[in-house]
Amino acid sequence: MKLPTLPRFTRAEMLFSAKCLASAVLSLYVASRLGLSRPFWAMMTSYVVASPLAGTVRSKAVYRVLGTIVGCTATLLILPSLANTPELLTLALALWVGGCLYISLLDRSPASYVFMLAGYTAAMIGFPNVEAPQTLFDNATLRVEEIIVGILCATLVHSIVFPKGLAPAVLGLLDGAMKHTRHWIQDLLVTDAPDPKSALASDRSKVAGDITQLRLLSTHIPFDTTNLRWTAGAVSTMQDHIASLMPTVSAVEDRLVALEQAEGALAPDVVAMLARIRDWLDAQDFQRLAPDRARQLADLRAEIHGFAMQRWSEQSNHWSRLLRVALATRLTELVDAWDACVRLRHDIDAGIGGAPVASRRLGNLSHRALHLDHGMAALSSFAAVLAICLCSAFWILTGWPAGSAATMMAAVFCCFFATMDNPVPAIRSFLKYVLCSMPLSVFYVLVLLPNVQDFGMLIAVCAPVCLVLGCYMARPQNMMAAMGILLGGFFGTLAMYDTGAVDLITFVNSMIGQIVGIVTAAVVTALVRSVGVAWAARRIQRANWRELAELAQPGASARQLDAYAVRMLDRIGLLAPRIAQAGGQIDGVAKDQALRDLRVGADLASLQRQNIPMESARVAGLLRDIGQFFERRSAGLSDTELPPALLTHIDQVLDYAATRPESQPQWRAAVTALVGLRRNLFPAAPAALTSTSAAQAASAS
């Protein structure tokens, strides 16, 4: 029989757990010395804001203080005026929680914690004080004081005692994104790879994952304890540059496929050009700028331009010449974007070293450019309102003493897991850990805590549990279980001593109230807003199509065009795990389709930016037709097949654009965008340009 082994923790996990315990002890001591009557609230708060990274602790501290103050203020305004009408009071608090949750789900950054906390803080303060509204102000003020004490103590300990900065994690993600992007480009430029499609798909997934993680982590940079905080603007700008590379690299990949199809195989000059760019990439060190970097870039750009125009005067195979122009334009964009990323990476290193970072003032799109789903936010808000109202109705009808606990838990759990497609499994898992904590809590209530005589003995009794669970909190795969046991049951039991309610009957009643609230949140969520990954993926796909329809409208704003690549890349990052969770395939949804939509959006944006004086509004008519198609597709109409007339329209505008003087760069950009639209919307269409147009293009050249 194999004996169970003791858990093994790393040094970093044990250090994190020790710092959590130290901050909890300090907050408990300070709250007690200040004469606050609920010191265990401060102890619990110190664990809520704990994180292995000091910058994350500081940002969570700021957001939690703001959210608590806003929630307390709302409770002080709502409860006194409606204390005599419990039904209206319940509805008002439920609507406040739902409204705050809706706003928080539309702010996909750590700052959303302010709105979420403002919502359920009002429920946690308001409902327990319904029967004694005269104590509301004292309890609300006390909660703010206790939470601020816990936050300050946690921030102090995690910022001073062996602080772990964000720099290694952020720079690791930055370098990882750069390496994966360069590897993706190099795999693309290798013309004799054995399995190019598989390698390119893997590279794309890695880049999308790196950027999504980096965007979430970088929001904590302004709160970091090192010089990294002065580079927040440069990091955000670099994220946007890497994101803009994705449609460009994908377009290069598609143009190479089209050239191979049109000519039977890639021509020697194409292979030589790709090898030249690959050699240039290999020579780039994104952590050290070469002294002649600008000259090398200028020489490479000149070579790409010469490659594009060397066959322009030929009168045969007009489609191949246009593909070369389109390929050259995208290759130029690719090397420019990579050079910008290298310069920004150097600026970030300089900023960490203490030098001024000029790029920190560059405009960036930040979280406002990410995908937002108003419909799912509204459903989540409605589920929270409904769960709160159901628990409150049961509380009012039965007069159950623990009704406030059930209502509070319903509010907290409807809010806490609202970002998931299907929160029910996570809520059930948390409930399981709360139930597992009950024997431990009963043991403390009946055996240990009644024998505690002083502060030192209390810490000695609580330390073993806190130290072990704190180590598990440092592990992402065990954090939910540790939080469920520690916050769901253990600290709740300790908080009962603040009110002098330590008998078994009160404890059991309180635990039943928590369980009822959690179960209600799970049931209502399952009935109202739980969706499958396939449904969520199709919804993201329709959002792509709606935005493509908007991009095709005349007069799209420059900021809207700039934000498109970031938002589409974010949607690809959202689609990838859902497709993987569904077994790699969802009817009507594919990562390749999302990538094609990304290229369509980039081409539409490029075409919109060209101020081309085209006669008879050719481009405007084409954009209108494309916009109408995506409007119908996003609406889910049955007749959403691409009309053949649209292909004819694209060819007509492309013929016209190809006859313009080559010396005007905007015409080359227009040709590139039109070739891209033709390839992305009609990838299987043969080259159908007229010979008359080819002759006119050669003559104009």
Side-chain angles (χ1 to χ4, degrees), residues 14 63 74 78 119 151 183 197 200 210 233 242 269-270 280 297-298 304 308 365 395 423 459 498 506 522 542 553 663:
M14 290 188 288
Y63 298 141
I78 294 172
I151 287 173
H183 195 265
K197 290 186 177 180
L200 293 175
D210 288 338
I242 297 176
D269 61 330
V270 176
W280 176 81
L297 178 63
I304 295 174
L365 302 172
W395 178 20
I459 299 305
D498 289 335
T506 304
R542 286 196 296 271
Q553 298 299 322
S663 59

Side-chain angles (χ1 to χ4, degrees), residues 270-345:
V270 176
V271 175
M273 190 71 254
L274 299 180
R276 172 72 177 88
I277 298 175
R278 189 170 64 248
D279 293 340
W280 176 81
L281 278 173
D282 290 338
Q284 297 295 308
D285 185 353
F286 51 81
Q287 294 182 341
R288 183 177 61 86
L289 291 181
D292 57 345
R293 177 193 54 81
R295 181 187 59 78
Q296 292 178 2
L297 178 63
D299 292 344
L300 181 60
R301 287 172 56 90
E303 291 181 34
I304 295 174
H305 178 73
F307 156 78
M309 303 316 302
Q310 63 183 347
R311 294 193 181 182
W312 186 261
S313 59
E314 297 180 5
Q315 296 191 17
S316 61
N317 205 349
H318 178 51
W319 176 240
S320 294
R321 295 201 309 280
L322 295 182
L323 286 174
R324 285 169 176 270
V325 172
L327 175 62
T329 302
R330 296 305 182 211
L331 287 175
T332 303
E333 294 174 356
L334 188 151
V335 297
D336 286 344
W338 181 260
D339 182 70
C341 290
V342 171
R343 286 187 284 109
L344 283 167
R345 182 66 181 85

Side-chain angles (χ1 to χ4, degrees), residues 449-528:
L449 292 181
N451 297 316
V452 170
Q453 303 295 327
D454 54 26
F455 184 82
M457 187 179 294
L458 176 63
I459 299 305
V461 167
C462 298
V465 174
C466 293
L467 286 173
V468 173
L469 293 178
C471 290
Y472 282 112
M473 281 179 60
R475 299 178 177 179
Q477 67 272 23
N478 300 125
M479 185 184 66
M480 183 68 68
M483 295 287 283
I485 297 174
L486 195 60
L487 302 180
F490 184 71
F491 280 126
T493 302
L494 297 181
M496 295 174 65
Y497 274 77
D498 289 335
T499 59
V502 293
D503 58 278
L504 182 61
I505 295 177
T506 304
F507 167 77
V508 172
N509 211 23
S510 175
M511 291 300 297
I512 292 175
Q514 291 186 47
I515 293 170
V516 169
I518 297 173
V519 170
T520 303
V523 172
V524 172
T525 300
L527 295 176
V528 173

Side-chain angles (χ1 to χ4, degrees), residues 98-99 101-102 376-388 414 524 528-529:
L101 177 60
Y102 177 80
M376 285 302 298
L379 273 179
S380 299
S381 174
F382 175 69
V385 172
L386 182 59
I388 293 171
C414 283
V524 172
V528 173
R529 61 95 53 228

